[in-house]
Amino acid sequence: MSARRVTQVFAIAVAVTALVAACGGGGGGGSSYKEPKGPAQTTLDIKGGNFFFDPKDSEAPAGIDEIKMESEGGLHTLVFDDGKVPGFKLEASSGNSDELKVDLKPGKYTIYCDIPGHREAGMEGTITVT
Protein backbone atom coordinates (compact mmCIF):
# COMPACT_ATOMS: atom_id res chain seq x y z
CA MET A 1 0.00 0.00 0.00
CA SER A 2 1.42 3.38 -0.94
CA ALA A 3 2.21 6.03 1.64
CA ARG A 4 -0.45 8.24 0.07
CA ARG A 5 -3.10 5.52 0.45
CA VAL A 6 -2.12 4.92 4.09
CA THR A 7 -2.42 8.67 4.73
CA GLN A 8 -5.86 8.75 3.10
CA VAL A 9 -7.11 5.78 5.12
CA PHE A 10 -5.73 7.33 8.32
CA ALA A 11 -7.45 10.65 7.54
CA ILE A 12 -10.74 8.85 7.00
CA ALA A 13 -10.34 6.96 10.28
CA VAL A 14 -9.66 10.22 12.15
CA ALA A 15 -12.70 11.88 10.57
CA VAL A 16 -14.95 8.93 11.43
CA THR A 17 -13.62 8.89 15.00
CA ALA A 18 -14.45 12.58 15.39
CA LEU A 19 -17.91 12.03 13.92
CA VAL A 20 -18.63 9.10 16.23
CA ALA A 21 -17.43 11.06 19.26
CA ALA A 22 -19.64 14.00 18.30
CA CYS A 23 -22.66 11.72 17.95
CA GLY A 24 -22.15 9.98 21.27
CA GLY A 25 -20.45 6.94 19.72
CA GLY A 26 -20.54 3.55 21.35
CA GLY A 27 -21.04 0.24 19.64
CA GLY A 28 -23.44 -2.32 20.92
CA GLY A 29 -25.18 -3.09 17.65
CA GLY A 30 -27.26 -1.13 15.24
CA SER A 31 -30.59 0.29 16.35
CA SER A 32 -32.39 -2.67 14.76
CA TYR A 33 -30.23 -5.38 16.37
CA LYS A 34 -31.74 -7.34 19.26
CA GLU A 35 -29.35 -9.42 21.36
CA PRO A 36 -30.63 -12.94 22.10
CA LYS A 37 -31.68 -13.69 25.67
CA GLY A 38 -29.80 -16.26 27.70
CA PRO A 39 -26.17 -16.90 28.46
CA ALA A 40 -23.49 -17.23 25.82
CA GLN A 41 -21.98 -20.69 25.53
CA THR A 42 -18.64 -19.30 24.36
CA THR A 43 -16.88 -16.01 23.67
CA LEU A 44 -14.95 -15.34 20.49
CA ASP A 45 -12.16 -12.87 21.27
CA ILE A 46 -11.12 -11.03 18.12
CA LYS A 47 -8.54 -8.26 17.90
CA GLY A 48 -8.95 -5.58 15.24
CA GLY A 49 -5.99 -3.57 14.04
CA ASN A 50 -4.62 -1.74 11.02
CA PHE A 51 -5.83 -3.65 8.86
CA PHE A 52 -6.51 -7.12 10.21
CA PHE A 53 -8.62 -9.35 12.42
CA ASP A 54 -6.75 -11.73 14.73
CA PRO A 55 -7.67 -14.45 14.42
CA LYS A 56 -8.69 -13.98 10.80
CA ASP A 57 -10.73 -17.19 10.87
CA SER A 58 -12.62 -18.39 13.96
CA GLU A 59 -14.82 -21.34 14.88
CA ALA A 60 -17.85 -21.38 17.17
CA PRO A 61 -20.58 -23.79 18.17
CA ALA A 62 -24.09 -23.16 16.87
CA GLY A 63 -26.31 -21.29 19.33
CA ILE A 64 -25.84 -18.19 21.45
CA ASP A 65 -22.24 -17.00 21.40
CA GLU A 66 -20.63 -13.73 22.40
CA ILE A 67 -18.29 -11.93 20.05
CA LYS A 68 -15.84 -9.49 21.61
CA MET A 69 -13.64 -7.24 19.50
CA GLU A 70 -10.75 -5.26 20.96
CA SER A 71 -9.15 -2.52 18.87
CA GLU A 72 -5.37 -2.45 18.77
CA GLY A 73 -5.12 0.87 16.99
CA GLY A 74 -7.65 3.21 15.48
CA LEU A 75 -11.38 2.87 15.11
CA HIS A 76 -12.65 -0.47 13.79
CA THR A 77 -15.96 -2.26 13.39
CA LEU A 78 -17.04 -5.86 12.99
CA VAL A 79 -20.12 -6.61 10.90
CA PHE A 80 -21.48 -9.67 9.08
CA ASP A 81 -21.57 -9.77 5.28
CA ASP A 82 -24.67 -10.50 3.19
CA GLY A 83 -27.13 -9.36 5.86
CA LYS A 84 -26.80 -12.71 7.67
CA VAL A 85 -27.01 -11.00 11.07
CA PRO A 86 -28.93 -7.77 10.37
CA GLY A 87 -28.00 -4.81 12.55
CA PHE A 88 -25.12 -6.57 14.34
CA LYS A 89 -22.17 -4.21 14.67
CA LEU A 90 -19.26 -4.03 17.07
CA GLU A 91 -17.32 -0.77 17.18
CA ALA A 92 -14.20 -0.03 19.19
CA SER A 93 -11.59 2.69 19.20
CA SER A 94 -7.92 2.17 20.06
CA GLY A 95 -7.48 0.28 23.35
CA ASN A 96 -11.24 -0.27 23.81
CA SER A 97 -13.52 -3.20 23.16
CA ASP A 98 -17.15 -3.93 22.32
CA GLU A 99 -19.12 -7.15 22.62
CA LEU A 100 -22.54 -8.55 21.78
CA LYS A 101 -24.26 -11.90 21.94
CA VAL A 102 -25.49 -13.45 18.70
CA ASP A 103 -27.50 -16.59 17.90
CA LEU A 104 -25.60 -18.31 15.09
CA LYS A 105 -26.84 -21.18 12.95
CA PRO A 106 -24.40 -23.69 11.40
CA GLY A 107 -22.57 -22.29 8.39
CA LYS A 108 -19.73 -20.02 7.32
CA TYR A 109 -20.06 -16.28 8.00
CA THR A 110 -17.89 -13.55 6.50
CA ILE A 111 -17.05 -10.69 8.87
CA TYR A 112 -15.44 -7.39 7.96
CA CYS A 113 -14.76 -3.83 9.10
CA ASP A 114 -17.19 -1.45 7.40
CA ILE A 115 -15.07 1.69 7.81
CA PRO A 116 -14.28 2.92 4.27
CA GLY A 117 -11.11 1.34 2.93
CA HIS A 118 -10.57 -1.13 5.79
CA ARG A 119 -12.13 -4.21 4.15
CA GLU A 120 -10.28 -3.47 0.92
CA ALA A 121 -7.04 -3.24 2.93
CA GLY A 122 -7.58 -6.77 4.26
CA MET A 123 -9.80 -6.37 7.33
CA GLU A 124 -12.00 -9.37 6.61
CA GLY A 125 -12.33 -12.87 8.09
CA THR A 126 -14.68 -15.77 8.66
CA ILE A 127 -16.53 -17.46 11.49
CA THR A 128 -17.33 -21.11 10.88
CA VAL A 129 -20.23 -22.33 13.01
CA THR A 130 -20.73 -26.07 13.60
Side-chain angles (χ1 to χ4, degrees), residues 88-107:
F88 183 97
K89 184 173 188 172
L90 299 179
E91 182 175 283
S93 59
S94 187
N96 293 305
S97 63
D98 193 11
E99 63 274 331
L100 283 172
K101 291 187 296 185
V102 61
D103 189 1
L104 296 171
K105 308 295 183 230

Side-chain angles (χ1 to χ4, degrees), residues 53 77-81 110-114 119 123-125:
F53 284 124
T77 65
L78 185 154
V79 298
F80 286 84
D81 198 11
T110 298
I111 58 170
Y112 66 97
C113 179
D114 71 352
R119 186 178 194 179
M123 204 163 178
E124 181 177 81

Side-chain angles (χ1 to χ4, degrees), residues 3-15:
R4 182 177 178 186
R5 180 72 178 144
V6 170
T7 301
Q8 289 173 334
V9 170
F10 181 74
I12 290 169
V14 170

Side-chain angles (χ1 to χ4, degrees), residues 46-129:
I46 300 174
K47 294 190 185 320
N50 293 330
F51 296 94
F52 64 87
F53 284 124
D54 181 23
K56 181 178 178 73
D57 302 307
S58 301
E59 294 182 7
I64 298 175
D65 298 312
E66 181 175 68
I67 301 175
K68 178 179 180 181
M69 182 189 68
E70 180 180 346
S71 175
E72 290 191 339
L75 176 67
H76 301 290
T77 65
L78 185 154
V79 298
F80 286 84
D81 198 11
D82 297 328
K84 290 189 176 181
V85 186
F88 183 97
K89 184 173 188 172
L90 299 179
E91 182 175 283
S93 59
S94 187
N96 293 305
S97 63
D98 193 11
E99 63 274 331
L100 283 172
K101 291 187 296 185
V102 61
D103 189 1
L104 296 171
K105 308 295 183 230
K108 190 171 188 175
Y109 298 81
T110 298
I111 58 170
Y112 66 97
C113 179
D114 71 352
I115 293 175
H118 286 208
R119 186 178 194 179
E120 296 78 7
M123 204 163 178
E124 181 177 81
T126 62
I127 298 175
T128 302
V129 179

